[in-house]
């Protein structure tokens, strides 16, 4: 791997993308510190979307009402498809909970695979065991014959060396490892879902945690043709160390960039919600002494979208000023005691300004 990494060259556009991703990582950390309530909502949505999309990429489909129940309520899986969904839910939960602390090791990889298939009749957690499944793998640029477990041992050792010696930018190292994993194909089943789980885990190692809030799996599924085309193009020649990593790197970086852009759009709306339109919504909410609905605020603030109203509601909820009184379409909101003081102050300031 050191020799292969040393030969890699990137053009100005690729370097600009890497810089942009580094900047987004810094913003992500800032948002995580400042807007924890908003991010909790995003985490829940991402968990459902990631579980659904990763399984759909494998042809596993579960009805929407069952999917949400399985992911969020830990419902008991009732079919093979639901068993696979529940397994991905559990493995993904472990990644999100402790991915940055989990080592990239044979033990952790086998553990994840075991969790992935913990509900199915055929359990996971073991490498391919067939005697005739051998591959050529390029640990140092020179091909040789080895088994999947040996290849994985080599891959893990090369990753640790590259990480410890800072031989490449993390955003080069992570997709390289994912491609190597898929080319080694160490499991009889589940290599695709495992590659997506390992993607998140390795990104966590370098504080690229956008996958916790925006589903990377959903982005992969939305561009599935390019996802598979990039993997296919970059795997050509892998067995003799002549593969071109560029198609996969460009796709991977583009998907990650889209995730960060979407993350900033969703969370940044809170900041935009503090502008003129947001203040109009906020003032209208503070006037309400009785429970109110989103529609009522919309009607009182013409020209302001429902999305903006929701943004302000979430922000004010995070500030402890309002709380929902129900769920679904009939849900209403009401002020908490600390909001009443703000409303009185706002009215006094308004009156003082007129004098």
């Amino acid at each position: 791997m050191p020799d292969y990494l040393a030969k890699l060259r990137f053009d100005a556009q690729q370097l600009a993308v890497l810089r942009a991703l580094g900047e987004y990582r810094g913003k992500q950390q800032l948002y995580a510190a400042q807007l924890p309530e908003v991010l909790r909502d995003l985490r829940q949505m991402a968990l459902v979307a990631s579980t659904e999309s990763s399984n759909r990429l494998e042809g596993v489909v579960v009805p929407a009402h069952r999917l949400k129940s399985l992911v969020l309520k830990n419902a008991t899986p009732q079919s093979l498809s639901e068993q696979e969904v529940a397994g991905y839910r559990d493995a993904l939960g472990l990644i999100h909970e402790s991915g940055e602390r989990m080592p990239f090791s044979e033990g952790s990889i086998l553990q994840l695979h075991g969790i992935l298939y913990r509900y199915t009749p055929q359990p996971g957690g073991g490498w391919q065991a067939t005697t005739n499944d051998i591959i050529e793998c390029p640990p140092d640029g020179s091909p040789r014959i080895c088994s999947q477990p040996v290849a994985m041992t080599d891959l893990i050792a090369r990753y640790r060396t590259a990480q410890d010696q800072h031989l490449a930018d993390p955003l080069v190292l992570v997709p390289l490892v994912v491609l190597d994993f898929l080319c080694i194909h160490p499991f009889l089943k589940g290599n695709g879902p495992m590659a997506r789980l390992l993607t998140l885990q390795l990104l966590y190692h370098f504080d690229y945690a956008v996958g916790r809030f925006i589903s990377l799996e959903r982005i992969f599924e939305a561009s599935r043709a390019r996802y598979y085309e990039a993997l296919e193009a970059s795997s050509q020649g892998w067995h003799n160390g002549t593969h071109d990593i560029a198609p996969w790197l460009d796709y991977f970086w583009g998907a990650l960039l889209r995730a960060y852009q979407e993350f900033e759009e969703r969370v940044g709306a809170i900041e935009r919600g503090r502008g003129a339109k947001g203040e109009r919504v906020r003032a209208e909410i503070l006037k309400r002494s009785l429970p109110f609905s989103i529609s009522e605020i919309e009607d009182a603030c013409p020209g302001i979208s429902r999305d903006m109203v929701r943004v302000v509601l979430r922000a004010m909820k995070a500030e402890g000023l309002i709380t929902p009184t129900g769920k679904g379409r009939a849900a209403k909101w009401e002020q908490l005691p600390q909001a009443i003081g703000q409303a009185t102050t706002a009215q006094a300031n308004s009156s003082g300004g007129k004098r």
Side-chain angles (χ1 to χ4, degrees):
M1 183 177 281
D3 291 341
Y4 188 85
L5 292 172
K7 294 175 184 176
L8 294 177
R9 297 292 182 272
F10 305 108
D11 60 30
Q13 183 175 355
Q14 291 172 317
L15 292 173
V17 171
L18 286 174
R19 284 194 297 272
L21 287 168
E23 292 170 3
Y24 275 122
R25 178 177 61 175
K27 293 179 183 179
Q28 155 215 301
Q29 293 166 341
L30 182 63
Y31 287 137
Q34 293 183 344
L35 302 167
E37 178 71 23
V38 176
L39 297 191
R40 275 196 289 273
D41 294 340
L42 287 180
R43 286 180 69 165
Q44 188 177 83
M45 290 188 289
L47 188 65
V48 175
S50 293
T51 303
E52 179 178 33
S53 290
S54 186
N55 279 280
R56 272 207 303 238
L57 281 166
E58 305 301 314
V60 177
V61 179
V62 169
H65 71 283
R66 285 294 297 166
L67 176 85
K68 192 166 185 179
S69 180
L70 282 164
V71 175
L72 299 181
K73 300 178 183 177
N74 292 319
T76 302
Q78 298 175 353
S79 65
L80 180 60
S81 292
E82 291 192 0
Q83 289 167 354
E84 294 188 16
V85 165
Y88 195 87
R89 170 203 68 200
D90 290 355
L92 184 61
L94 177 62
I95 293 289
H96 286 330
E97 181 181 342
S98 54
E100 63 268 24
R101 300 185 301 277
M102 287 176 63
F104 183 60
S105 65
E106 292 179 65
S108 66
I109 293 170
L110 291 173
Q111 178 192 16
L112 273 177
H113 193 260
I115 293 172
L116 193 62
Y117 291 102
R118 68 181 358 165
Y119 301 103
T120 62
Q122 293 182 318
W127 307 120
Q128 289 202 54
T130 52
T131 56
N132 59 349
D133 262 330
I134 56 174
I135 61 168
E136 291 180 284
C137 59
D140 299 299
S142 55
R144 65 184 177 86
I145 305 295
C146 62
S147 66
Q148 278 91 343
V150 171
M152 285 302 301
T153 300
D154 287 346
L155 172 59
I156 291 164
R158 297 196 305 273
Y159 169 77
R160 289 176 178 170
T161 298
Q163 183 183 19
D164 292 343
Q165 298 180 12
H166 306 287
L167 298 179
D169 188 290
L171 292 179
V172 175
L173 186 58
V174 170
L176 273 172
V177 170
V178 171
L179 179 70
D180 284 356
F181 173 86
L182 286 168
C183 288
I184 292 170
H185 208 75
F187 297 110
L188 197 60
K189 62 177 180 178
N191 292 286
M194 280 296 298
R196 291 184 282 278
L197 290 167
L198 293 174
T199 295
L200 292 169
Q201 180 193 353
L202 295 179
L203 286 172
Y204 274 135
H205 284 181
F206 303 101
D207 294 325
Y208 287 95
V210 69
R212 179 177 277 134
F213 311 112
I214 301 295
S215 170
L216 286 173
E217 295 94 330
R218 175 176 54 78
I219 291 172
F220 293 155
E221 188 200 7
S223 55
R224 69 164 65 209
R226 286 184 289 120
Y227 173 69
Y228 286 120
E229 286 168 5
L231 284 170
E232 174 67 20
S234 286
S235 65
Q236 298 299 313
W238 181 88
H239 292 88
N240 57 25
T242 61
H243 57 302
D244 178 11
I245 192 65
W248 173 234
L249 286 182
D250 287 339
Y251 172 83
F252 186 92
W253 295 340
L256 195 59
L257 190 62
R258 282 194 295 278
Y260 270 115
Q261 288 168 341
E262 184 176 333
F263 178 69
E264 185 170 65
E265 286 170 6
R266 292 193 183 190
V267 181
I270 295 295
E271 297 297 323
R272 294 192 296 273
R274 293 171 181 162
K277 288 185 177 181
E279 289 304 323
R280 280 177 56 196
V281 175
R282 192 181 186 91
E284 187 60 39
I285 290 171
L286 289 173
K287 291 179 187 176
R288 306 277 170 158
S289 58
L290 298 175
F292 57 89
S293 66
I294 291 179
S295 297
E296 289 170 347
I297 302 300
E298 269 188 300
D299 292 341
C301 301
I304 297 179
S305 70
R306 174 164 288 214
D307 284 343
M308 175 61 76
V309 174
R310 290 185 187 279
V311 162
V312 177
L313 287 171
R314 285 196 296 267
M316 293 181 71
K317 179 185 174 186
E319 293 171 36
L321 299 176
I322 58 174
T323 186
T325 61
K327 294 183 178 180
R329 294 181 180 179
K332 294 211 170 188
W333 294 77
E334 64 181 1
Q335 288 191 40
L336 293 172
Q338 51 266 47
I340 298 173
Q342 282 202 20
T344 303
T345 301
Q347 289 172 358
N349 290 340
S350 176
S351 298
K354 291 177 182 177
R355 290 192 181 112

